[in-house]
Amino acid sequence: MRRLLVVNVLLGIPGIIYYWMLSLMILQDPLTTWGRTVRDLYEAHSILPVQVVLGPPLAIGTIIWVLSNVNLVYRRKRAGSCQKASGKFWHWFIALVASLIPTAVFLCIAAFF
């Protein structure tokens, strides 16, 4: 279980950068421009730059996160601690929460300063 927490906390550290970039993109572009009926995808205020900038890092990070957790589930299954389906559910739940810990810590520190 300790390996699960350590791996997912370490994988959550790059998530801080992703959330920071996402907040910059959202705060720079007013949300009212996203609700237009006709969108020019090549315009500077459209959603396309957000997808181009944030899409590949999110996809790469998600693939790494899923593959590392599949490996951890396989190891726990071989060790005998993850035999039931509920064990796998709790593994993925703990992995998700542990990967959000660095972002939560960063937001708490940022709120005080």
Side-chain angles (χ1 to χ4, degrees):
M1 189 63 76
R2 186 173 14 152
R3 180 180 290 165
L4 172 69
L5 290 173
V6 169
V7 166
N8 283 294
V9 166
L10 290 176
L11 287 174
I13 292 172
I16 296 171
I17 299 167
Y18 176 75
Y19 291 127
W20 174 69
M21 289 173 57
L22 182 64
S23 68
L24 284 179
M25 292 284 188
I26 289 174
L27 292 175
Q28 282 182 347
D29 190 23
L31 294 176
T32 57
T33 61
W34 288 7
R36 290 180 290 184
T37 55
V38 179
R39 294 186 186 189
D40 181 12
L41 292 179
Y42 298 104
E43 188 179 339
H45 293 290
S46 69
I47 195 72
L48 184 65
V50 175
Q51 293 172 347
V52 169
V53 171
L54 299 179
L58 177 64
I60 292 168
T62 304
I63 290 169
I64 292 171
W65 184 80
V66 167
L67 290 177
S68 64
N69 281 301
V70 165
N71 186 19
L72 289 172
V73 167
Y74 177 71
R75 285 177 179 243
R76 287 186 67 211
K77 187 176 179 182
R78 284 187 55 195
S81 35
C82 190
Q83 296 297 330
K84 298 179 185 176
S86 64
K88 292 177 186 175
F89 169 77
W90 284 111
H91 170 88
W92 287 102
F93 179 74
I94 291 170
L96 179 65
V97 170
S99 63
L100 294 176
I101 288 173
T103 304
V105 169
F106 177 73
L107 289 175
C108 289
I109 292 172
F112 289 116
F113 294 107

